[in-house]
Amino acid sequence: MFPLSQAQHAQFLYGPRAAAYDSTWHAAHARDFVKHASLQQGQHVLDLACGTGLVSIPAAGAVGPKGSVTGVGITSEMLEIAKKKAREDARCKGVVIRFLQHDITDLDILEGKVLTKGKSGYDCITCASALPLLEGPGRAMKQWAKFLKMGGRMVIDVPTERSQIPGLVYEQSVAAVGVVVPFGRLRMKGKEWLETLMKEAGMEVERSFVASGYGSASIYEKEQAGDLFDRWVEGPVGAMVGGISNDVQKRAKAREFFMKAFARRAGAEGKVKEEEGFYIVVGRKV
């Protein structure tokens, strides 16, 4: 168990990022995410980890006035932005759109109050750029599937191995010295792994593919490894990983691991190339 809950971790990480979030590559990814969902007029959408509404707002435009969108997220700063956008964006005009502050891994408590299941459930559930933050992604997906109508879709993603490389190597490094990061890129084994979770949640995999090319590709020099490690240790993720920034021995060992792992990735060229991309899996409830 971690000192903070999953929901508290999300608030800690994303609250400070809320104001600038829409100006990142997440905006383009969210627009594509709505296309992947193949939404139709009159459908009802449940957008989990909705953040600033990057998926919710265009989804409202897709389902129209006869449809609805319910966004659920935990970060108060992001939800305030989402609500403001919903009031001002023309795509939301006449559409029932609401945002709830709640832990997306504990939706059952909302059943019959603000969320519905079964025949009265949702035509589509989306969860973009959030699965690595969950301690039990498979368990969460099984719970989410209960809120889908039969034949309803679920659209989920996880980062590819070429995405967010310094963060992934950092997680590997602190794990090598016995420290656990409270979220799980290390547990996520790619498209086939996500397909398996979808099937275990009672879904039939309709499509699975890679979506990439978001933002500018980053190139890191091998010599940057030490600075990158220090930046992660002193940043918000490092603050959540108890003790490593203040434990001289563990920090030194993790730093050494990071630099060696980064050098292996850099190879003879001495460069690590990063490109934001995602494995996308679309499932249908059967």
Side-chain angles (χ1 to χ4, degrees):
M1 293 297 292
F2 301 110
L4 300 179
S5 68
Q6 178 274 330
Q8 289 170 323
H9 284 134
Q11 175 71 51
F12 183 84
L13 280 175
Y14 287 92
R17 298 170 60 185
Y21 197 74
D22 286 13
S23 62
T24 68
W25 54 262
H26 287 282
H29 176 49
R31 287 193 296 270
D32 286 349
F33 214 78
V34 175
K35 295 176 184 176
H36 303 326
S38 302
L39 298 175
Q40 303 295 319
Q41 290 281 311
Q43 289 190 325
H44 303 283
V45 178
L46 179 59
D47 180 27
L48 301 176
C50 63
T52 61
L54 284 175
V55 170
S56 300
I57 302 299
V63 301
K66 292 184 179 180
S68 70
V69 177
T70 299
V72 182
I74 200 64
T75 309
S76 54
E77 295 90 338
M78 287 191 156
L79 288 170
E80 287 305 310
I81 293 172
K83 291 174 184 177
K84 182 175 185 295
K85 287 160 62 176
R87 291 192 297 268
E88 298 174 353
D89 196 300
R91 290 171 292 182
C92 299
K93 187 176 181 180
V95 182
V96 175
I97 180 168
R98 58 182 176 171
F99 294 97
L100 310 174
Q101 185 171 23
H102 194 76
D103 183 350
I104 64 170
T105 66
D106 186 28
L107 297 185
D108 282 340
I109 196 172
L110 299 180
E111 183 191 358
K113 300 175 183 177
V114 290
L115 300 182
T116 54
K117 289 182 179 178
K119 293 181 180 179
S120 300
Y122 297 88
D123 297 290
C124 185
I125 291 176
T126 56
C127 183
S129 302
L131 212 64
L133 296 172
L134 308 185
E135 292 180 32
R139 183 171 62 250
M141 288 172 63
K142 288 177 183 177
Q143 182 188 112
W144 301 344
K146 298 175 186 177
F147 290 88
L148 276 175
K149 297 175 182 177
M150 290 301 295
R153 285 191 178 95
M154 185 184 295
V155 188
I156 309 288
D157 68 346
V158 292
T160 66
E161 294 81 1
R162 291 190 62 189
S163 297
Q164 305 160 37
I165 291 174
L168 177 59
V169 178
Y170 177 77
E171 188 177 340
Q172 294 167 341
S173 302
V174 295
V177 297
V179 178
V180 180
V181 178
F183 42 85
R185 286 284 301 279
L186 294 184
R187 295 170 297 156
M188 302 195 169
K189 306 302 182 184
K191 183 163 62 71
E192 291 75 19
W193 173 85
L194 187 54
E195 289 174 351
T196 298
L197 291 193
M198 191 71 81
K199 293 173 184 175
E200 290 176 349
M203 312 289 291
E204 178 182 77
V205 174
E206 195 173 73
R207 289 186 295 146
S208 60
F209 52 94
V210 175
S212 60
Y214 297 107
S216 301
S218 299
I219 299 177
Y220 301 101
E221 302 291 338
K222 181 178 69 174
E223 291 76 18
Q224 291 178 262
D227 290 340
L228 288 168
F229 175 83
D230 293 338
R231 192 184 308 166
W232 275 84
V233 171
E234 301 302 333
V237 173
M240 293 192 305
V241 180
I244 190 169
S245 61
N246 298 318
D247 187 319
V248 175
Q249 188 175 17
K250 277 189 176 181
R251 178 168 176 160
K253 288 182 177 179
R255 193 175 195 272
E256 181 182 7
F257 184 100
F258 186 101
M259 295 182 72
K260 288 180 179 178
F262 212 75
R264 286 194 297 272
R265 283 179 174 267
E269 189 181 7
K271 300 179 187 295
V272 174
K273 298 177 181 179
E274 174 185 86
E275 181 182 29
E276 295 299 343
F278 297 87
Y279 295 115
I280 312 285
V281 177
V282 181
R284 184 182 292 275
K285 187 172 181 178
V286 294

